[in-house]
């Protein structure tokens, strides 16, 4: 994967908040000292702010956090339905047999059990901090910059070095899934993979 760092112009790179963001998003955080999360990013439907993609036995599955008030800048999380339980069950089913799920489940389960988060941004921020802790990378700076154009969180055009995935034999290597896919499959090696994607 190519990561552009504009050191000559010292240009900062704004990232939109992300719900268990894709591998490319975390690669940017791990390798780009100028990357930051833009708190002024407006909520948009079908973006990574409230969606992540995991790999299951049946193929890719998108998990979506329902939003009650998609108003900028504080989109509110909806507490209707059982989406937290459904997301956790999906992760357990998809990654329960992965090599490292058991090592991280206690760190991540609170995000699917507690209802203390009201805004999507606060929820995403705490998830990002926890993921950076587990990946041993520095947490990103946060800025409110309503003039910045956020980088594309999906960066689907980039190529990735394949790593082990539970359902790779059935579906082939699937690039740029949620960071959870990399963490549950590769464990401590996930950080090295992020740092080597250049």
């Amino acid at each position: 994967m190519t990561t552009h760092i504009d050191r000559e112009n010292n240009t900062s790179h704004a990232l939109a908040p992300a719900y268990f963001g894709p591998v490319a998003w975390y690669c940017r955080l791990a390798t780009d000292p100028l990357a930051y999360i833009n708190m002024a990013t407006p909520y948009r439907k079908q973006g990574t702010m409230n969606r992540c993609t995991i790999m299951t036995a049946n193929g890719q599955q998108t998990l979506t956090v329902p939003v009650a008030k998609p108003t900028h800048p504080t989109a509110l999380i909806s507490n209707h339905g059982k989406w937290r339980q459904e997301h956790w069950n999906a992760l357990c089913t998809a990654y329960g047999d992965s090599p490292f799920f058991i090592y991280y489940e206690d760190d991540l389960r609170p995000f699917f059990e507690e209802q203390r988060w009201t805004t999507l941004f606060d929820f995403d921020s705490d998830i990002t901090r926890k993921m950076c802790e587990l990946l041993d990378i520095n947490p990103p700076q946060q800025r409110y910059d309503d003039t910045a154009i956020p980088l594309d969180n999906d960066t689907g055009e980039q190529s990735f070095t394949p790593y082990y995935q539970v359902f790779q034999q059935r579906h082939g290597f699937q690039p740029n899934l949620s960071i959870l896919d990399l963490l549950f499959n590769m464990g401590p090696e996930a950080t090295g993979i992020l740092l080597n994607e250049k």
Side-chain angles (χ1 to χ4, degrees), residues 1 3-4 6-7 13 50 84 108 171 174 191 193:
M1 181 178 81
T3 300
H4 176 64
D6 191 354
R7 288 196 178 92
H13 301 131
N50 70 321
R84 289 179 179 84
L108 298 172
H171 298 292
Q174 302 295 308
T191 306
I193 290 170

Side-chain angles (χ1 to χ4, degrees), residues 16-21 25-26 37 43 48-51 65 77 111 117 119-131 142 153:
Y19 173 61
F20 293 106
W25 193 85
Y26 278 90
I37 296 177
Y43 168 79
T48 55
M49 196 176 287
N50 70 321
R51 294 159 55 98
V65 177
I77 296 172
F111 292 108
W117 296 275
T119 70
L120 192 57
F121 183 82
D122 289 342
F123 189 46
D124 288 347
S125 293
D126 285 352
I127 286 172
T128 300
R129 277 192 285 273
K130 174 55 71 174
M131 295 305 297
Q142 296 180 359
N153 282 1

Side-chain angles (χ1 to χ4, degrees), residues 134-156:
L134 297 177
L135 292 164
D136 196 24
I137 60 177
N138 293 325
Q141 293 184 354
Q142 296 180 359
R143 302 182 200 169
Y144 188 92
D145 185 356
D146 57 8
T147 64
I149 300 173
L151 296 167
D152 182 2
N153 282 1
D154 295 316
T155 57

Side-chain angles (χ1 to χ4, degrees), residues 19 43 46-47 50-52 62-67 83 86-87:
Y19 173 61
Y43 168 79
Q46 299 186 354
N50 70 321
R51 294 159 55 98
C52 71
T62 299
L63 305 178
T64 304
V65 177
V67 175
W83 68 266
E86 290 169 0
H87 285 204

Side-chain angles (χ1 to χ4, degrees), residues 19-39:
Y19 173 61
F20 293 106
V23 172
W25 193 85
Y26 278 90
C27 180
R28 175 73 72 167
L29 293 185
T31 62
D32 186 347
L34 301 177
Y36 69 96
I37 296 177
N38 185 11
M39 296 184 291

